[in-house]
Amino acid sequence: MHSALALVEKLMSDLIVPKNYKPVLNVKETEKAIVLLKDFFQLCLSTELSLTRVTAPLFVRSGTGINDDLNGVERPVQFPVRDMGDARMEIVHSLAKWKRLKVSELGLGEGFGIYTDMNAIRADESLDNLHSLYVDQWDWELRIDEDDRTVMHLKETVEKIYRCLKRTEFFVYDRYEQIRPLLPEHITFVYADDLYRQYPDMSAKQRETEFCRKHKAVFVIGIGGKLPDGSVHDGRAPDYDDWITESGDGHTGLNGDLLVWNPVLETAMELSSMGIRVSQESLKAQLAERGCPERAQLAFHKKLLDGSLVQTMGGGIGQSRLCMYFLRKAHIGETQASIWPEGMISECKKNGIPLL
């Protein structure tokens, strides 16, 4: 009973309730706006990055190394398949590694890629205004040349995605003039270790919030690599993004997170995670760094190490989060249908936050 009470108290402390919150759009208007916004953004993304749409799996075989391991502690939802001798499948956390297999299989040329609608279940997610059990995002993957494994190429791609965000912001304003544009003209880049040095006494999330409060749109480079104190800015699995390779000027990391300032919640909000994928060398180094060299024997990792997979970069862009930001919503449950604790549902209802 005591632990259940503590969990409820934690959920309520994590929930941000904006004072005198009133949605700009009602539920019916919101549902229509979600469709318009998603259709517009994915067209921008596919044309800006030269991506073709593909169909993606909801689940993959367990034990192949294809699923995204996130921070390495989250448990995937699993189930047996009767007609396959009870072989176990698991709901994807994301398609980070599956996409690289698909780009290699399709034989796409350099500079071309794929995107898809990714739907996932993350049962161990800590639920709050921005985090849900249900994850929906545009997962994309682009074939690149070995010479493109640079922080400069990473930044160029981030700027292309940011242009899509800016266009989408105007698209929304053009239809709902009460939602005024807020994004700055340019996105600001910062390395995670520089962010640490700037705010040494803060947690990683507090650093993001303070820096994003000032710059409004930020890309933090080097997520997963060690900071000066030996910690990491945020967790990253060792087998998709490259966070160990030197990126220049004494920094490491060829990946990062795209954050914007959320004016409703008054906090930093991650919209996208992306990066240049591991090479054979950086995969070995990162598996060793994380203390899991045995993963090299999994099917996906064997393909990468024997040279069967092309070099790519890719990432995910949260669909419900994007809608939440552009439609000025206080809770991700206003832009997606999911399941929430009863206490959170009651608190949101009491404060005029209509969960779908």
Side-chain angles (χ1 to χ4, degrees):
M1 178 68 74
H2 179 73
S3 61
L5 181 61
L7 180 59
V8 171
E9 290 176 349
K10 180 183 182 303
L11 282 169
M12 292 304 100
S13 66
D14 290 343
L15 181 67
I16 301 173
V17 179
K19 188 176 181 180
N20 301 321
Y21 174 72
K22 183 178 180 181
V24 179
L25 305 179
N26 63 34
V27 171
K28 186 176 180 180
E29 291 170 330
T30 297
E31 293 280 20
K32 290 181 178 180
I34 287 172
V35 175
L36 292 173
L37 198 159
K38 286 184 178 182
D39 285 347
F40 181 84
F41 180 81
Q42 67 181 346
L43 180 60
C44 283
L45 183 70
S46 64
T47 52
E48 188 71 58
L49 295 186
S50 300
L51 307 174
T52 187
R53 194 185 185 287
V54 298
T55 301
L58 176 61
F59 46 85
V60 294
R61 283 179 177 268
S62 299
T64 59
I66 295 176
N67 203 357
D68 181 354
D69 295 299
L70 300 176
N71 297 312
V73 296
E74 294 88 348
R75 301 164 299 171
V77 177
Q78 297 185 338
F79 60 94
V81 179
R82 184 190 61 189
D83 283 359
M84 297 175 67
D86 280 344
R88 297 199 70 79
M89 306 294 159
E90 54 191 50
I91 305 293
V92 296
H93 279 145
S94 87
L95 299 169
K97 289 176 277 188
W98 176 87
K99 292 177 297 178
R100 190 168 183 180
L101 288 168
K102 189 67 175 179
V103 169
S104 299
E105 175 191 312
L106 290 173
L108 300 179
E110 291 161 7
F112 296 93
I114 60 173
Y115 81 99
T116 190
D117 289 310
M118 190 284 298
N119 297 288
I121 298 173
R122 296 182 183 173
D124 289 330
E125 193 67 86
S126 296
L127 306 179
D128 56 27
N129 299 69
L130 300 176
H131 297 88
S132 171
L133 298 174
Y134 170 60
V135 180
D136 57 338
Q137 62 186 39
W138 290 285
D139 258 349
W140 62 273
E141 199 79 9
L142 184 67
R143 182 173 179 180
I144 62 173
D145 185 83
E146 287 292 332
D147 292 339
D148 290 328
R149 301 191 77 256
T150 66
V151 73
M152 181 180 295
H153 190 69
L154 174 67
K155 288 181 176 181
E156 289 171 352
T157 307
V158 171
E159 287 170 343
K160 289 179 180 179
I161 293 173
Y162 190 66
R163 286 200 290 270
C164 294
L165 294 177
K166 288 283 289 179
R167 290 183 195 128
T168 304
E169 182 178 54
F170 174 74
F171 175 83
V172 172
Y173 174 60
D174 197 36
R175 282 149 187 79
Y176 308 99
E177 61 180 15
Q178 63 272 46
I179 303 178
R180 303 191 65 82
L182 296 174
L183 290 174
E185 191 62 29
H186 302 287
I187 190 166
T188 299
F189 293 93
V190 64
Y191 285 96
D193 54 350
D194 283 343
L195 204 55
Y196 169 84
R197 293 184 185 94
Q198 190 169 340
Y199 305 104
D201 299 325
M202 293 184 178
S203 69
K205 294 304 176 188
Q206 288 171 334
R207 290 174 216 142
E208 288 180 352
T209 293
E210 287 309 307
F211 197 77
C212 213
R213 189 194 308 275
K214 179 179 180 181
H215 297 282
K216 308 308 179 190
V218 175
F219 189 80
V220 182
I221 304 171
I223 306 292
K226 284 186 178 178
L227 298 176
D229 66 349
S231 67
V232 296
H233 183 82
D234 199 2
R236 277 297 186 279
D239 41 19
Y240 56 96
D241 280 353
D242 187 329
W243 41 257
I244 205 167
T245 296
E246 285 194 17
S247 57
D249 300 327
H251 302 286
T252 57
L254 297 174
N255 72 340
D257 288 344
L258 194 160
L259 312 167
V260 295
W261 178 253
N262 185 310
V264 178
L265 301 179
E266 297 189 328
T267 188
M269 178 182 189
E270 180 191 325
L271 293 183
S272 177
S273 172
M274 58 172 286
I276 292 171
R277 305 312 194 187
V278 287
S279 63
Q280 293 159 303
E281 294 72 24
S282 57
L283 173 63
K284 293 174 186 176
Q286 290 182 181
L287 290 178
E289 176 78 20
R290 286 288 189 264
C292 53
E294 71 280 357
R295 285 197 197 176
Q297 300 306 310
L298 295 173
F300 171 84
H301 303 68
K302 283 184 176 180
K303 282 181 176 291
L304 199 159
L305 291 171
D306 71 16
S308 299
L309 303 182
V310 298
Q311 183 61 59
T312 63
M313 69 184 302
I317 302 169
Q319 296 186 10
S320 292
R321 282 199 183 188
L322 203 72
C323 294
M324 180 185 169
Y325 172 75
F326 283 124
L327 301 180
R328 306 292 186 250
K329 300 296 186 179
H331 197 289
I332 196 169
E334 294 180 82
T335 55
Q336 64 160 239
S338 186
I339 293 177
W340 309 96
E342 287 300 323
M344 184 176 289
I345 294 172
S346 299
E347 192 69 14
C348 286
K349 186 174 182 179
K350 185 170 69 176
N351 288 278
I353 302 175
L355 304 182
L356 300 182

